[in-house]
Amino acid sequence: MPEGAFVVAVAFLTIVAPIWIIFHYVTKWRIAKTLSADDEKMLADLWHSAAQMEDRIRSLEKILDAEAPGWRAKAP
């Protein structure tokens, strides 16, 4: 292999390749920081489910308060 090709190969491996790899992973990390459309939908569904469960718990607490007034004292 001629000396010129060797110098170019060494320069590529020591300068260009590491910078290329760093920029590649920086781009991947920036993309990973944002939520995808599926993640946003799942988060919205979880938020809706949590609100429904909160309403159900409030309803159950009202029923228990009416039917068994001392139930809160009995709970551990």
Side-chain angles (χ1 to χ4, degrees):
M1 176 152 76
E3 288 183 26
F6 179 73
V7 171
V8 170
V10 169
F12 178 80
L13 291 174
T14 59
I15 298 170
V16 177
I19 293 172
W20 189 357
I21 292 170
I22 289 169
F23 281 131
H24 170 75
Y25 282 108
V26 165
T27 304
K28 292 288 184 183
W29 291 328
R30 285 185 182 165
I31 291 171
K33 283 184 182 179
T34 61
L35 291 177
S36 68
D38 290 338
D39 292 340
E40 288 181 7
K41 184 182 181 317
M42 182 175 52
L43 187 59
D45 291 343
L46 287 172
W47 186 267
H48 181 69
S49 295
Q52 285 180 330
M53 285 191 279
E54 188 175 357
D55 290 340
R56 290 176 183 167
I57 290 170
R58 284 190 186 127
S59 297
L60 287 171
E61 287 178 344
K62 286 180 184 178
I63 291 169
L64 283 171
D65 285 339
E67 292 185 6
W71 73 272
R72 290 182 195 265
K74 294 178 188 175

